[in-house]
Amino acid sequence: MPSILDDMPASLLHESTQGHAVRVPVTVAYGDGIGPEIMKATLRILDAAGAALDYEPIELGEAVYLRGITAGIEPEAWESIRRNRVLLKAPITTPQGGGYKSMNVTLRKTLGLYANVRPAVAYAPFVRTRHPQMDVVIVRENEEDLYGGIEHQQTDEVVQCLKLVSRPGCERIIRHAFEYARANGRRKVTCMTKDNIMKKTDGLFHQVFDEVAAQYPDVANEHLIIDIGAARLADTPEMFDVIVTLNLYGDIISDIAAQVAGSVGLAPSANIGEHAAMFEAIHGSAPQIARQGIANPSGLLLSAVMMLVHVGQPQVAEKIHNAWLRTIEEGIHTADIYAETISSRRVGTDEFADAVIERLGLLPRMLAAVRYAAEQAKSKPEGISYTRPIAATKQLVGVDVFLDWRGTNPDELGEKLRAAGSANLSLSMITNRGVKVWPNGMPETFCTDHWRCRFHAPVDARIAPEEMLALLGRVHALGFDFIKTEHLYTFNGKAGYSLGQGQ
Ligand code: NAD
């Protein structure tokens, strides 16, 4: 039954009118492999620190998959997550093969968790790293880009994956990055895209970044092309503070960042949406070390710290995080980060948790202590609203007709296909894998069986949809196999489509 809470932002649900934290119900998934061990250790630390949380366990992952539920999650688990709006999740094992869906992608997209926030911090000299000053937060768009999973085989030789980027998607994630920077005293937000190549999709992300950045004059901003950005992140991560980027780039560079920080096993993450949030370590279920009691619970514990800030218990978050820093500093290390020259004691999962519990209330001596100011608890995405712009004047000016054609000579195709054109819609260009091959193509260009044939109106002319349908009829009548079309529009007179390479 819908409740009044349905329209309330998740983070506001858990604060009492006196400003004291009230007990917050949290859905907990123990996961697979090392999941149950690290989750038990994490919850033990949370309880010892006085976190005001009530845990509601759900089953997620391998056991559910193996019962034949390809999504890996059952309706009762969905209900719990939707009711509590906060999920602390241990890693799960995705069975190999079969039609199993990625649980993470399912959870993120179904719950609208648009922001994936991944801090990557060096703990030098206590954890080995080449970049002792590194302290970067990657804010990755979590729902769009190539992760729509919209893929098609179109010819024998060519498959395609649709890259979708929306203005609201860009605006929400970029605002989230700037709000995060502001609330956490960060100085700079760097945007990374490949808009020198993808001028429409990545171009929109960059354009919205510039628009939003102008509204945050107190936070510095810059843009880097993703390839040099990733290279610099691996080489000089100290130059970055907050990075905001599209889904695929963010997925890749956040693993690079965690690795060069020297601590993939320590890295936490938050997946934040308007209605719910999910917190998890970035590592997987490490089945080869499961049930040995040696796994490092730190990634999940630091994710739980992010969760405590999110639900309005920053004091508890601070207490745990500082005790954890003190433990790391004292050289009490699990096997994955243990080094004879640095560590003082090699411990298992439970012993590590005991050590953190013993240090609750202590601050680190050398590493900087964390301070989760009260404002941080309020830095929530509910402040991020989207206003749809006034609709542009949209004009149909042509159509790209894609053909499955097994010929090899573009001139032959051009000559035959010209006959399908009309006075208002004539063949202007043919490309193969984006490169112009007609008219005046180069014989060196390799061609597949997938041809994009552009029919365009004379300058400034508008086409009626019926003319496009008639064109397709003529293309078909000439014996060509058209496999898809893309309409060419102008928006307020500006072309909404890219030119062919070499055009
Ligand atoms: P993994 O992260 O599980 O393991 C990579 C390496 O890191 C292994 O050597 C492992 O022993 C080590 N490691 C990881 N976490 C550790 C920890 N907390 N303490 C000590 N050592 C740790 O990656 P993988 O082997 O590629 O994947 C294993 C399974 O996990 C797969 O089924 C994969 O699909 C799944 N997975 C799940 C998630 C998730 O649920 N969020 C994320 C990644 C992978």
Side-chain angles (χ1 to χ4, degrees):
M1 189 202 275
S3 92
I4 192 169
L5 299 183
D6 285 346
D7 296 316
M8 226 179 192
S11 54
L12 291 185
L13 295 176
H14 310 310
E15 288 165 22
S16 75
T17 46
Q18 289 80 33
H20 299 304
V22 295
R23 292 194 79 75
V24 176
V26 167
T27 302
V28 168
Y30 282 76
D32 303 313
I34 59 171
E37 305 158 43
I38 59 173
M39 182 60 84
K40 274 182 213 139
T42 296
L43 297 188
R44 211 149 58 73
I45 297 168
L46 260 55
D47 288 342
L53 302 172
D54 290 325
Y55 311 118
E56 198 170 292
I58 56 164
E59 201 182 23
L60 214 61
E62 202 172 21
V64 184
Y65 282 124
L66 296 179
R67 283 206 292 275
I69 318 257
T70 53
I73 178 166
E74 301 224 55
E76 311 80 66
W78 275 126
E79 276 166 34
S80 170
I81 298 168
R82 294 185 65 224
R83 187 168 53 244
N84 297 328
R85 294 159 183 241
V86 181
L87 169 64
L88 180 64
K89 174 180 159 293
I92 55 165
T93 300
T94 312
Q96 304 279 308
Y100 305 112
K101 302 278 193 318
S102 160
M103 163 64 57
N104 280 333
V105 176
T106 303
L107 283 169
R108 285 171 192 159
K109 296 194 71 166
T110 309
L111 296 170
L113 309 180
Y114 66 87
N116 188 194
V117 180
R118 293 183 163 197
V121 183
Y123 302 100
F126 308 104
V127 178
R128 278 214 180 104
T129 175
R130 280 192 219 107
H131 306 288
Q133 303 305 321
M134 181 172 180
D135 182 2
V136 178
V137 178
I138 291 167
V139 179
R140 162 193 170 197
E141 198 289 313
N142 223 4
E143 296 181 293
E144 305 194 335
D145 192 10
L146 289 160
Y147 285 53
I150 307 172
E151 295 191 297
H152 297 95
Q153 176 159 5
Q154 297 187 326
T155 65
D156 280 342
E157 293 176 343
V158 175
V159 289
Q160 95 168 1
C161 176
L162 206 56
K163 172 159 170 147
L164 288 175
V165 176
S166 75
R167 176 168 270 278
C170 296
E171 221 176 291
R172 285 208 300 185
I173 192 66
I174 292 165
R175 270 189 200 288
H176 192 96
F178 278 97
E179 287 293 326
Y180 181 94
R182 232 181 215 174
N184 292 277
R186 301 239 168 204
R187 305 168 322 278
K188 183 171 76 169
V189 179
T190 304
C191 174
M192 293 191 193
T193 73
K194 189 79 181 170
D195 68 338
N196 52 334
I197 304 295
M198 283 160 278
K199 295 179 194 301
K200 292 292 169 202
T201 47
D202 287 31
L204 177 63
F205 198 90
H206 189 172
Q207 183 191 330
V208 174
F209 177 77
D210 288 344
E211 290 167 15
V212 173
Q215 294 162 29
Y216 293 83
D218 50 321
V219 182
N221 70 81
E222 65 180 355
H223 173 269
L224 289 180
I225 298 293
I226 183 68
D227 33 12
I228 189 63
R232 295 225 175 111
L233 182 63
D235 183 56
T236 35
E238 313 76 39
M239 69 176 278
F240 297 109
D241 198 347
V242 174
I243 298 174
V244 65
T245 188
L246 295 105
N247 203 341
L248 176 62
Y249 311 141
D251 197 0
I252 296 167
I253 66 167
S254 56
D255 271 30
I256 295 176
Q259 181 72 27
V260 302
S263 53
V264 180
L266 309 182
S269 79
N271 296 271
I272 309 279
E274 247 175 85
H275 308 288
M278 173 173 82
F279 300 85
E280 60 177 342
I282 74 162
H283 63 73
S285 59
Q288 67 279 43
I289 59 163
R291 290 174 294 279
Q292 295 174 32
I294 58 170
N296 190 343
S298 299
L300 186 60
L301 180 66
L302 295 179
S303 306
V305 164
M306 293 175 89
M307 177 182 77
L308 285 166
V309 174
H310 179 83
V311 301
Q313 299 184 25
Q315 293 85 354
V316 190
E318 194 170 301
K319 192 170 166 186
I320 295 173
H321 201 153
N322 284 327
W324 178 83
L325 287 168
R326 179 69 173 254
T327 310
I328 293 294
E329 218 180 55
E330 289 189 19
I332 302 167
H333 293 166
T334 43
D336 55 312
I337 57 167
Y338 181 86
E340 248 173 45
T341 48
I342 300 175
S343 313
S344 61
R345 191 146 59 98
R346 185 190 191 115
V347 292
T349 314
D350 289 339
E351 228 184 316
F352 182 82
D354 291 339
V356 175
I357 290 169
E358 280 162 23
R359 284 159 185 78
L360 287 168
L362 298 183
L363 296 176
R365 289 202 187 99
M366 282 179 66
L367 293 168
V370 294
R371 297 259 176 272
Y372 293 116
E375 302 86 74
Q376 268 185 315
K378 296 196 179 77
S379 71
K380 298 293 158 46
E382 60 261 23
I384 298 174
S385 60
Y386 172 73
T387 311
R388 185 166 275 179
I390 298 162
T393 305
K394 183 174 154 192
Q395 191 164 313
L396 184 64
V397 296
V399 59
D400 280 346
V401 181
F402 288 76
L403 299 183
D404 180 348
W405 188 64
R406 293 188 70 95
T408 53
N409 182 355
D411 289 334
E412 180 194 339
L413 177 60
E415 280 313 305
K416 283 185 180 161
L417 203 56
R418 269 166 70 159
S422 63
N424 214 15
L425 210 47
S426 60
L427 183 66
S428 62
M429 171 186 77
I430 300 174
T431 67
N432 197 295
R433 294 186 301 168
V435 182
K436 191 189 79 167
V437 292
W438 184 92
N440 308 321
M442 305 227 183
E444 292 85 358
T445 307
F446 180 82
C447 291
T448 67
D449 58 1
H450 187 266
W451 306 81
R452 188 255 307 253
C453 309
R454 175 161 291 178
F455 290 85
H456 214 285
V459 180
D460 295 335
R462 176 194 283 266
I463 296 163
E466 292 76 14
E467 292 180 76
M468 210 169 53
L469 295 174
L471 170 74
L472 291 179
R474 293 192 297 272
V475 169
H476 176 68
L478 284 170
F480 288 108
D481 177 12
F482 69 86
I483 48 173
K484 78 159 187 167
T485 57
E486 291 286 352
H487 300 189
L488 308 181
Y489 292 110
T490 57
F491 290 83
N492 291 339
K494 209 173 143 208
Y497 49 91
S498 54
L499 298 176
Q501 286 157 350
Q503 193 183 10

